Amino acid sequence: MCSARVSPHFIIRAFQEGADGVLVAGCHIGDCHYLKGNYIAIKRVAILRDLIDFLGISKERLLLEWIAGSEGDKYARVADEFTEKVRSLGPSPIKRIPFREKAVAMVR
Amino acid sequence: MEALKNKVNELLESGGIAGFLGLRNFGSEPFPFLFTRDTAAEVEKITTGAVRYPLSKILIRIAAVYPDAIFGIMCRACDERAIIELFKNTKLRSDKVITIGISCTDDLVQACKCENPQPSNLVSGEAGKKEFDRSDVQKIASMTLEQRFDFWTEQLGKCIKCYGCRNICPVCFCDVCTLEDQPLVKRGEIPPELPSFHLTRAYHMAGRCVDCGLCEEACPVDIPLRTLYRRVRESVKELLDYLPGEERDKVPPIQVLGDGLFEIRD
Amino acid sequence: MFGSGAMTNSIAELEDSKCIFIIGSNTSEAHPLIANRILRAKAKGAKIIVADPRKIHIAFYADIHVRQNLGTDVALLNGIMNIIISKGWQAREYIEARTENYAVLQESVANYPPEKVSEITGVSVQDLNAIAEAYAKAPSASIVYAMGITQHTTGVDNVKSLANLAMLCGRVGAESCGVNPLRGQNNGQGACDMGALPNVYSGYQRVDDEEVGKKFDAAWGAQLSRKPGLTLMDMMHAIEEGQVRALYIMGENPVVSDPNRAHVESVLKKVEFLVVQDIFMTETAQYAQVILPGVSFAEKDGTFTNTERRVQRVRKAIEPVGNARPDWQIICSLSDMIGYPMNYNEAGEIQDEIKSVTPSYGGITYARLDGDGLQWPCPTSEHPGTKFLHKERFTRGRGLFSAIAFKPPAEASDNEFPLMLTTGRNFVHYHTGTLTRQSRSLDDEQKEGYAEINPLDAHKYGISKRDRIKVVSRRGAIEIKPEITGRVPEGILFIPFHFAEAAANALTIDALDPVAKIPEYKVCAVRIEKVA
Amino acid sequence: MYYECIPTTCTYCGCGCSVVLQVLDGHLVGVLPGKTNPVNEGSLCIKGWTSHEFVYREKRLKNPLVKKDGVFFETGWEEALDTVAGKLKKIKEESGADSIAALASAKCTNEENYLMQKLMRAAIGTNNIDHCARL
């Protein structure tokens, strides 16, 4: 799937569902089958990173990386590093929002 | 005010416009009204008022019914910024709209923290001073991540999901609204899912928001929405070098940022 | 009580109150534009107290939120007053100067020590103390309540207890204070003000008062009955007994809005002649012999009176849809044909007549309503309207304390019906949904009814969110989608009453408050079953 | 070509917010919040913002209906009002005014509620008038 197909809404949804971090991986610049898909992705992710950071969700929880289909080792390395990074950031603050429907704290 | 009345009468009489969308005193209060040749007597009640209604958004609706007519519209600087974006997004046609600029009172400029209260084609009043005040954005940006998160959770948590921010927004012109997209945004409860409802709307303001502040005025629970969208506006300027409403000749980056065009829904 | 039934203070005043005590009002969902004033008050430093069994939206912004057991408001309020008196926080001078019967109150609340109240209500002694202190000690304090207080067999007792509390602390007749009922419907206040009640003419003038009777005899040119008529619930019983043969319903949907739906339906089937005037084919209209199509608010002129007594204009914006006619014109035509001509050319002329016979509306004309409207009492054409009531004196003279004893709700849970049900509104819909469920955006937002159930109860009954459940009471049963949420405490179910096909009021009990005849919508016993 | 805004009062809850009805060529096309009203000061809730939506629904009753053999038939105003007035007069003659009762409405205007009680009290002759505001 083209990285331009990763709608910002999907990323927002992932965070809402409790993801501690979101990694978007796309083809290298210049390699786009659709010519400019990854240019679109880079701008979208950049704007969204700014925005979540302003809302208090670290921008480091959202990562865009270029990984070609043949770069299995890079994929593994990036995934490992990102996992470590996110682990160091701790759980997403979205999980501690008091309005969440099933918050156990609300149960009397 | 006399200058405005004269201008409207002149345009109506000459046939230069089919109608002028502005504010009319209804009893003691101003409300939007379309002055036409048939209702020329009402021009006497024209007012610039101290209130702002989303005139450009109203004009989209009227122009959709009368696509060939030319309309005049009362334009504060914020209205004009919106109209520039509406031209670019083909919601209004630049050859069918004549803007009649009016100035805002100093009080209104202050209250709006308007960064550019100077419309072109000024017919009534004097242009206000430019005052660029981003202290609201800076105040939040200077907090720690955790403080910011708590601040926004408290603010956005007040939301009673009236959709007023969207409904009044002059640049919210999509036929299908993502905020009503059930799988993406859960419906039927208040506050709406935090923060995704407002995050989604804020993202959609990228490349569109003209910083008019009508959203914040319409918010029944005083959420500082404008501050949120101002930050988005700044990001777009920094990253894409585009300032909505201020750049008549640049192509808007809206498709890059993603509107309906890039969504696949199921 | 103080002698009049309306919000004592104004909506805008809430913003400057230093303590707001919200009880029995889901303000952000049912009265959103009043909730914003409360949130603003909080931003200005007010203490917010919420007493509601559910974790409602505004409770997240409360400094103190207590979840009292259903139907224990009198005990809760007596307990708070007990603490205030025992600590000496009551407003002694105010009590002396403006009220009577204080000794009686003192004696009765002495029977409600905090420990006992905590036992009855499930609210901790610590929270009781905190509420008492916050309310009694703030420079100004407002009470806000709604149907969560009135829709009980002890509804009048609940209201009187709130009045007791407010007077005890000198909170009536002062700015940003008062006892403030939030009316559920746009013109509930106006319908009462206009005398759509069996015992009073417009402006609460009693039909059994000979003076008043003579005045209206003369004004209307008719010999009027001095005998109070039947209340809605009495009408239902009179129909069953064959004493009432004809019923004319204008713009109401009792099949969905009244308790014990099966009973209402049987009554409407039984009545010999039913006329319904409405804008949609409601569940009630189905039973009519004749249906008269009225118009919506956008198609007629008139006035509404909001919950803060503000009379405001309703203006015709469009022509009636189809052959529908403005409701006031229908009544006029009917009256003409019955042999009592009503000659009004426009709605404003009716207001002119209202003004002439109704002292509290005596200064209200359409011309004066331009802009902000006017808050009654507005007795003369120079009077600016009244922001808050009882400033110098109460309507009845001195404020009257009353001794109120706690009585449990009409129905308690038992082995057969182990859960308690309470009802209310959802932010999207309104009342019986006649209008809101016909609005595309609102229908899209919330299409069907649901029953909120605590996760512990869901676990206990093996219910997951994909199941459907059957809720059964002694009156009826409905099938509904469960919503598993901590908003409701364990043992309590909440169902919004907007949805006719999963009607909460098929379950609710028609036990009434003995004085106000309000049904106990807010408490009844139910059981649940998983639908296979 | 005619567009105007008519300020009026919201038909939903008891807050009494000012809603501004947008009328384009005789059709209700939308709602704006009244910016200058002391109750809502330029805001509305979700119901207020959509308070125009039900007005043109297909299901609106457009003609009087009379039930014959359990089925509703559309009819003219004269016939419908004749039926109602005739029947009410007959019942009043046979069983007295107190055998007739009416429910006014917390949704209708003050003027309509006033007239409804006047109809029952002066034209019919009974105080059997109530409404559902308790509910």
Side-chain angles (χ1 to χ4, degrees):
Chain A
M1 188 170 74
C2 177
S3 54
R5 178 65 188 89
V6 182
S7 160
H9 301 135
F10 300 165
I11 301 171
I12 292 171
R13 192 68 231 162
F15 279 119
Q16 188 69 50
E17 297 288 340
D20 296 321
V22 176
L23 166 63
V24 181
C27 306
H28 288 274
I29 293 292
D31 284 355
C32 183
H33 178 72
Y34 310 100
L35 304 178
K36 58 177 186 177
N38 39 22
Y39 284 100
I40 290 171
I42 198 171
K43 288 169 183 169
R44 287 176 172 180
V45 170
I47 299 275
L48 191 56
R49 273 168 61 99
D50 271 9
L51 186 53
I52 61 171
D53 205 73
F54 192 61
L55 285 173
I57 303 158
S58 170
K59 62 166 71 178
E60 295 183 76
R61 292 184 187 275
L62 174 55
L63 179 67
L64 175 66
E65 267 293 348
W66 306 134
I67 307 171
S70 57
E71 295 177 309
D73 54 339
K74 182 177 182 189
Y75 179 55
R77 180 167 51 78
V78 168
D80 279 348
E81 282 169 11
F82 186 58
T83 307
E84 269 319 302
K85 178 82 220 169
V86 170
R87 190 168 284 138
S88 74
L89 291 170
S92 161
I94 289 178
K95 285 190 272 202
R96 64 177 166 86
I97 290 180
F99 302 96
R100 279 169 63 94
E101 193 193 354
K102 281 170 209 147
V104 182
M106 276 192 251
V107 180
R108 189 178 179 177
Chain B
M1 202 69 70
E2 286 311 306
L4 179 62
K5 283 179 193 171
N6 291 340
K7 181 79 187 174
V8 171
N9 276 327
E10 181 195 309
L11 282 167
L12 285 174
E13 273 160 33
S14 69
I17 56 171
F20 175 77
L21 184 63
L23 296 177
R24 172 186 70 159
N25 268 324
F26 186 102
S28 57
E29 290 168 61
F31 294 102
F33 186 76
L34 184 70
F35 301 87
T36 61
R37 284 184 94 154
D38 294 340
T39 57
E42 299 292 310
V43 174
E44 264 314 297
K45 297 187 211 158
I46 214 166
T47 177
T48 53
V51 296
R52 301 187 300 147
Y53 280 95
L55 294 176
S56 52
K57 189 162 197 172
I58 295 169
L59 189 59
I60 299 176
R61 199 191 285 273
I62 299 174
V65 180
Y66 296 97
D68 298 325
I70 295 174
F71 291 100
I73 181 169
M74 183 180 101
C75 243
R76 298 179 197 281
C78 50
D79 295 318
E80 186 169 357
R81 294 200 293 272
I83 287 170
I84 288 170
E85 288 307 309
L86 293 172
F87 287 159
K88 289 184 185 177
N89 288 284
T90 68
K91 298 296 159 184
L92 289 174
R93 284 175 56 180
S94 57
D95 57 337
K96 299 291 183 192
V97 177
I98 296 174
T99 62
I100 308 286
I102 62 159
S103 66
C104 293
T105 60
D106 287 344
D107 284 354
L108 196 56
V109 172
Q110 287 264 303
C112 291
K113 290 186 212 137
C114 185
E115 62 181 64
N116 184 7
Q118 302 182 347
S120 56
N121 196 13
L122 190 67
V123 170
S124 177
E126 279 175 37
K129 267 211 311 279
K130 284 191 187 190
E131 217 169 316
F132 191 57
D133 174 9
R134 61 185 295 272
S135 58
D136 54 340
V137 177
Q138 278 161 339
K139 193 177 148 204
I140 293 168
S142 66
M143 295 177 183
T144 67
L145 264 180
E146 196 174 345
Q147 284 170 336
R148 279 209 289 277
F149 189 80
D150 291 344
F151 171 82
W152 284 113
T153 300
E154 181 173 353
Q155 292 299 325
L156 302 177
K158 295 190 289 189
C159 180
I160 55 166
K161 219 178 178 196
C162 69
Y163 292 98
C165 46
R166 173 198 71 183
N167 294 347
I168 208 147
C169 177
V171 290
C172 260
F173 46 66
C174 300
D175 295 332
V176 180
C177 179
T178 308
L179 295 179
E180 294 179 17
D181 198 331
Q182 184 80 293
L184 287 173
V185 183
K186 198 178 167 209
R187 306 192 72 175
E189 63 182 35
I190 60 168
E193 277 185 320
L194 297 184
S196 67
F197 181 85
H198 287 280
L199 189 53
T200 302
R201 184 168 146 74
Y203 184 80
H204 276 246
M205 284 294 101
R208 293 194 195 194
C209 177
V210 295
D211 195 29
C212 70
L214 282 172
C215 47
E216 198 169 300
E217 263 181 43
C219 180
V221 289
D222 306 332
I223 300 171
L225 290 168
R226 194 172 171 194
T227 306
L228 179 59
Y229 306 146
R230 275 187 157 183
R231 179 68 190 91
V232 179
R233 205 168 138 82
E234 284 178 8
S235 295
V236 174
K237 179 68 186 165
E238 277 165 34
L239 297 162
L240 307 174
D241 192 29
Y242 186 79
L243 203 55
E246 300 288 356
E247 328 209 29
R248 286 177 186 267
D249 305 321
K250 275 191 193 164
V251 178
I254 204 156
Q255 273 132 343
V256 175
L257 296 169
D259 61 356
L261 213 60
F262 286 93
E263 299 313 319
I264 294 174
R265 21 189 113 244
D266 59 8
Chain C
M1 297 290 280
F2 353 109
S4 83
M7 207 165 147
T8 59
N9 291 54
S10 297
I11 293 169
E13 284 173 56
L14 284 172
E15 209 172 307
D16 295 309
S17 183
K18 291 298 160 207
C19 174
I20 301 176
F21 181 19
I22 306 160
I23 181 164
S25 158
N26 182 358
T27 325
S28 3
E29 300 205 41
H31 297 91
L33 271 291
I34 291 177
N36 78 330
R37 306 285 181 159
I38 297 171
L39 293 172
R40 276 186 205 164
K42 183 176 168 71
K44 294 184 190 178
K47 267 219 151 72
I48 309 296
I49 306 165
V50 174
D52 199 299
R54 294 172 70 220
K55 184 97 184 170
I56 50 176
H57 177 257
I58 201 136
F60 287 97
Y61 290 88
D63 297 278
I64 307 167
H65 173 217
V66 294
R67 309 177 81 170
Q68 75 274 38
N69 293 329
L70 289 186
T72 60
D73 301 303
V74 167
L76 178 73
L77 296 166
N78 279 347
I80 293 167
M81 286 187 273
N82 178 296
I83 294 167
I84 290 172
I85 293 173
S86 68
K87 304 259 186 185
W89 292 333
Q90 70 272 37
R92 288 201 181 81
E93 280 169 31
Y94 181 95
I95 294 168
E96 183 65 30
R98 300 212 37 195
T99 68
E100 60 192 37
N101 232 13
Y102 175 61
V104 167
L105 176 81
Q106 215 174 357
E107 195 183 322
S108 83
V109 302
N111 298 323
Y112 295 86
E115 295 71 25
K116 177 178 163 187
V117 169
S118 180
E119 183 79 7
I120 299 171
T121 59
V123 175
S124 73
V125 172
Q126 191 191 351
D127 282 343
L128 291 170
N129 277 315
I131 297 175
E133 181 163 6
Y135 182 78
K137 287 192 164 174
S140 55
S142 311
I143 293 171
V144 170
Y145 74 88
M147 274 64 81
I149 276 292
T150 56
Q151 291 176 346
H152 289 278
T153 47
T154 56
V156 170
D157 286 352
N158 290 349
V159 174
K160 282 184 175 172
S161 299
L162 288 172
N164 282 342
L165 174 61
M167 289 191 293
L168 183 67
C169 297
R171 302 302 193 192
V172 184
E175 183 132 10
S176 295
C177 291
V179 181
N180 299 295
L182 307 183
R183 289 278 181 174
Q185 304 203 49
N186 57 335
N187 205 29
Q189 189 64 52
C192 293
D193 294 349
M194 288 302 111
L197 290 168
N199 58 339
V200 291
Y201 296 109
S202 57
Y204 307 95
Q205 305 174 80
R206 298 186 66 92
V207 297
D208 55 4
D209 181 319
E210 191 53 36
E211 284 288 299
V212 170
K214 277 189 185 143
K215 176 174 116 180
F216 277 90
D217 285 351
W220 291 351
Q223 182 58 48
L224 302 169
S225 167
R226 304 285 189 268
K227 190 181 89 183
L230 303 172
T231 63
L232 191 163
M233 292 294 153
D234 292 337
M235 286 176 195
M236 296 288 167
H237 293 296
I239 289 169
E240 282 188 306
E241 284 157 24
Q243 286 154 1
V244 165
R245 293 172 59 197
L247 183 60
Y248 179 5
I249 300 178
M250 170 172 80
E252 298 275 12
N253 188 9
V255 168
V256 182
S257 69
D258 288 20
N260 198 348
R261 176 176 183 160
H263 179 232
V264 176
E265 286 178 319
S266 79
V267 167
L268 294 181
K269 253 180 239 166
K270 175 141 202 267
V271 71
E272 185 182 325
F273 188 62
L274 177 65
V275 184
V276 172
Q277 185 169 315
D278 213 309
I279 69 171
F280 286 108
M281 177 63 89
T282 61
E283 291 76 8
T284 300
Q286 302 281 359
Y287 293 95
Q289 271 73 49
V290 181
I291 301 176
L292 305 172
V295 299
S296 75
F297 77 123
E299 299 151 70
K300 63 188 175 191
D301 283 310
T303 55
F304 290 152
T305 304
N306 80 350
T307 192
E308 55 165 358
R309 300 167 277 105
R310 188 183 297 276
V311 184
Q312 301 189 101
R313 276 301 311 276
V314 175
R315 291 188 183 86
K316 179 177 166 179
I318 53 167
E319 290 303 316
V321 170
N323 290 319
R325 287 185 185 175
D327 299 74
W328 64 270
Q329 287 177 7
I330 300 174
I331 300 171
C332 289
S333 308
L334 206 51
S335 196
D336 291 348
M337 291 168 102
I338 288 173
Y340 181 84
M342 288 186 180
N343 299 309
Y344 307 98
N345 295 311
E346 52 188 44
E349 293 178 14
I350 309 171
Q351 174 54 36
D352 292 341
E353 182 178 319
I354 294 170
K355 165 175 173 282
S356 70
V357 296
T358 315
S360 51
Y361 279 65
I364 297 177
T365 58
Y366 277 14
R368 291 192 69 199
L369 293 178
D370 174 42
D372 296 351
L374 282 166
Q375 284 174 283
W376 67 256
C378 176
T380 62
S381 47
E382 291 79 40
H383 195 283
T386 307
K387 191 164 115 178
F388 60 92
L389 301 175
H390 319 300
K391 190 172 183 179
E392 307 293 332
R393 64 188 292 277
F394 289 99
T395 312
R396 69 176 295 279
R398 278 171 168 264
L400 181 67
F401 281 111
S402 24
I404 309 290
F406 166 67
K407 293 186 213 78
E411 211 171 53
S413 57
D414 54 25
N415 285 339
E416 197 185 349
F417 298 98
L419 295 168
M420 298 304 284
L421 170 72
T422 190
T423 66
R425 291 185 179 176
N426 168 287
F427 79 102
V428 184
H429 287 293
Y430 172 79
H431 218 57
T432 65
T434 306
L435 307 180
T436 51
R437 298 189 79 197
Q438 292 297 330
S439 300
R440 185 194 58 82
S441 322
L442 301 178
D443 184 48
D444 283 356
E445 189 74 27
Q446 185 70 53
K447 281 195 185 296
E448 59 170 334
Y450 55 89
E452 288 182 2
I453 176 169
N454 187 278
L456 296 176
D457 288 324
H459 180 74
K460 190 159 138 194
Y461 292 94
I463 290 160
S464 76
K465 68 177 182 183
R466 296 193 204 290
D467 290 329
R468 284 185 75 79
I469 56 171
K470 190 171 166 191
V471 185
V472 189
S473 80
R474 290 188 174 83
R475 271 79 43 200
I478 59 170
E479 270 189 35
I480 198 163
K481 179 180 80 170
E483 171 142 335
I484 299 165
T485 166
R487 265 198 295 276
V488 283
E490 193 183 356
I492 293 181
L493 240 54
F494 168 83
I495 301 180
F497 69 102
H498 314 294
F499 305 93
E501 69 285 357
N505 287 330
L507 307 169
T508 49
I509 188 168
D510 46 358
L512 302 182
D513 180 279
V515 181
K517 312 285 183 188
I518 300 175
E520 188 151 64
Y521 291 109
K522 298 300 184 198
V523 196
C524 75
V526 295
R527 69 164 180 264
I528 55 173
E529 296 158 11
K530 193 151 110 177
V531 176
Chain D
M1 184 185 290
Y2 190 80
Y3 171 89
E4 69 174 335
C5 284
I6 305 289
T8 188
T9 306
C10 179
T11 188
Y12 289 121
C13 78
C15 292
C17 298
S18 161
V19 296
V20 180
L21 300 176
Q22 302 186 62
V23 183
L24 179 56
D25 295 334
H27 280 266
L28 193 53
V29 293
V31 160
L32 290 167
K35 290 268 184 177
T36 41
N37 185 273
V39 176
N40 55 313
E41 298 179 330
S43 300
L44 287 173
C45 76
I46 185 170
K47 296 186 286 280
W49 270 110
T50 56
S51 57
H52 63 293
E53 285 190 5
F54 66 84
V55 171
Y56 292 118
R57 283 302 292 245
E58 259 315 290
K59 290 181 185 165
R60 271 289 296 271
L61 296 168
K62 297 187 186 72
N63 287 293
L65 300 170
V66 172
K67 198 184 262 171
K68 287 185 183 121
D69 302 323
V71 183
F72 285 113
F73 290 93
E74 286 197 347
T75 175
W77 275 102
E78 281 306 303
E79 191 198 328
L81 290 171
D82 247 354
T83 310
V84 177
K87 188 81 185 176
L88 292 181
K89 275 199 282 193
K90 182 162 167 281
I91 290 177
K92 182 182 165 180
E93 272 163 31
E94 288 170 5
S95 311
D98 286 340
S99 62
I100 299 170
L103 294 176
S105 175
K107 303 241 44 86
C108 287
T109 63
N110 285 330
E111 288 76 0
E112 287 155 355
N113 279 288
Y114 176 83
L115 287 192
M116 191 64 162
Q117 54 115 22
K118 187 177 178 186
L119 174 80
M120 292 308 287
R121 289 178 162 133
I124 305 280
T126 177
N127 285 314
N128 289 342
I129 168 94
D130 202 356
H131 68 287
C132 299
R134 297 186 180 92
L135 315 180

